[in-house]
Amino acid sequence: MEIRIFNNYEELSKCAANEIIKQVKTNPTSTIGFATGSSPIGLYKCLIKDHKENGTDYTEIRSFNLDEYYDIEKSNPQSYFNFMYENLFSHINIRNKNINIPSGHSKDMNEEVYKYNQLLKENSLDIQILGIGSNGHIGFNEPGTKHDQETHVIELDQQTREDNARFFNSIDEVPTHAITMGIKNILDTKKIILIATGKKKAEAIKGMVNGAITEDLPASALQNHDNVILFLDKEASRYL
Ligand code: GLP
């Protein structure tokens, strides 16, 4: 893993965004995996700024998102669908037909899981953007998830629901389940960039970089990938 440590979030976001911009410019038909959460918001702001100022073109870019809450409708302000349009897709010229986000509100979730997984198999991802949960989850692959797991529906950890409660009126409103790409899908990506900031992430980062590869810490599976760049601030990297 390549580790890059930054003094501030703006600089970190700019450098992480440059990896995406470089990819889009080198191959305008790239397939990019996007993540939600607060960590990549700065990166998305940089992509929007660059698109407006330099005209970086996303018309032939295909996107796949990591995950979505179950059983939330797209129109719910807390859906990851809504997050992606609000924080990125509405502000760049990516085409709706090229955007793939798993649905957390399908009548038949087994079919949705199968369909999304098939799409991922048919489209190899050039870059996957990741955040990390304080419990070491990636996407919504919670501790205990097998590293060869593909797309699935998962019950969220209490820790994850508490961490994400800040976006809802109360913890009772935080969904109990989600649909997520599996760790295998993530490892199949050609390049991974992971963003983590703040001391709440420091333990998970330490385990991911220096600990054993274990199902107890899903992000430790990234040690088995040969093209991972970590974008960390001082606090998230304090135990390295
Ligand atoms: C959610 C998402 C993850 C994200 C994590 C961390 O659980 N499913 O993809 O990495 O939150 O979020 P944040 O960046 O807000 O700390």
Side-chain angles (χ1 to χ4, degrees):
M1 288 182 192
E2 183 184 330
I3 301 172
R4 300 189 194 165
I5 299 169
F6 296 84
N7 285 322
N8 68 71
Y9 182 63
E10 283 67 34
E11 195 54 30
L12 179 160
S13 300
K14 209 168 144 192
C15 287
N18 281 341
E19 293 295 322
I20 306 298
I21 295 165
K22 203 166 62 185
Q23 175 68 41
V24 171
K25 286 191 165 154
T26 311
N27 176 8
T29 62
S30 296
T31 304
I32 297 175
F34 288 101
T36 54
S38 43
S39 304
I41 286 182
L43 183 164
Y44 296 155
K45 285 203 170 107
C46 293
L47 294 187
I48 294 166
K49 186 168 184 280
D50 165 74
H51 171 68
K52 295 214 155 56
E53 288 174 1
N54 306 316
T56 301
D57 184 19
Y58 293 84
T59 48
E60 299 304 328
I61 295 295
R62 290 173 67 84
S63 78
F64 283 86
N65 259 76
L66 278 171
D67 48 15
E68 178 59 283
Y69 285 121
Y70 174 83
D71 173 32
I72 266 192
E73 295 195 43
K74 284 179 183 176
S75 55
N76 186 309
Q78 296 310 330
S79 76
Y80 284 172
F81 181 94
N82 189 59
F83 175 101
M84 285 310 302
Y85 274 84
E86 206 166 274
N87 289 291
L88 182 65
F89 294 153
S90 297
H91 310 285
I92 58 173
N93 65 342
I94 190 166
R95 291 180 172 150
N96 284 333
K97 71 176 178 70
N98 290 341
I99 294 171
N100 298 280
I101 303 174
S103 167
H105 196 65
S106 268
K107 276 202 199 101
D108 185 342
M109 284 306 288
N110 287 334
E111 195 194 328
E112 177 65 20
V113 163
Y114 177 79
K115 270 180 13 202
Y116 202 68
N117 204 53
Q118 281 304 112
L119 275 176
L120 287 168
K121 285 184 175 177
E122 288 158 17
N123 295 274
S124 67
L125 270 59
D126 295 295
I127 291 200
Q128 175 65 56
I129 300 163
L130 289 180
I132 185 170
S134 61
N135 64 357
H137 76 223
I138 45 176
F140 267 133
N141 291 281
E142 298 284 27
T145 308
K146 295 210 177 316
H147 292 180
D148 61 358
Q149 176 78 58
E150 298 186 327
T151 310
H152 60 291
V153 171
I154 189 158
E155 181 174 3
L156 300 180
D157 265 19
Q158 184 58 17
Q159 178 69 56
T160 300
R161 295 186 67 236
E162 282 168 18
D163 287 349
N164 291 359
R166 66 189 194 277
F167 300 113
F168 295 81
N169 292 324
S170 78
I171 186 146
D172 300 331
E173 285 184 16
V174 183
T176 55
H177 290 73
I179 176 172
T180 183
M181 273 188 205
I183 294 175
K184 165 116 182 19
N185 304 114
I186 294 172
L187 292 178
D188 284 344
T189 308
K190 291 186 193 125
K191 180 173 185 169
I192 293 171
I193 67 176
L194 184 146
I195 299 171
T197 61
K199 58 177 186 281
K200 247 189 125 181
K201 305 289 174 72
E203 278 293 341
I205 294 296
K206 177 178 142 200
M208 172 179 72
V209 174
N210 294 324
I213 299 177
T214 164
E215 286 171 12
D216 295 339
L217 193 83
S220 67
L222 300 180
Q223 290 178 32
N224 284 326
H225 195 287
D226 61 7
N227 195 1
V228 179
I229 311 178
L230 307 182
F231 291 83
L232 310 175
D233 70 355
K234 290 248 157 68
E235 290 190 317
S237 61
R238 68 202 289 189
Y239 301 137
L240 294 183

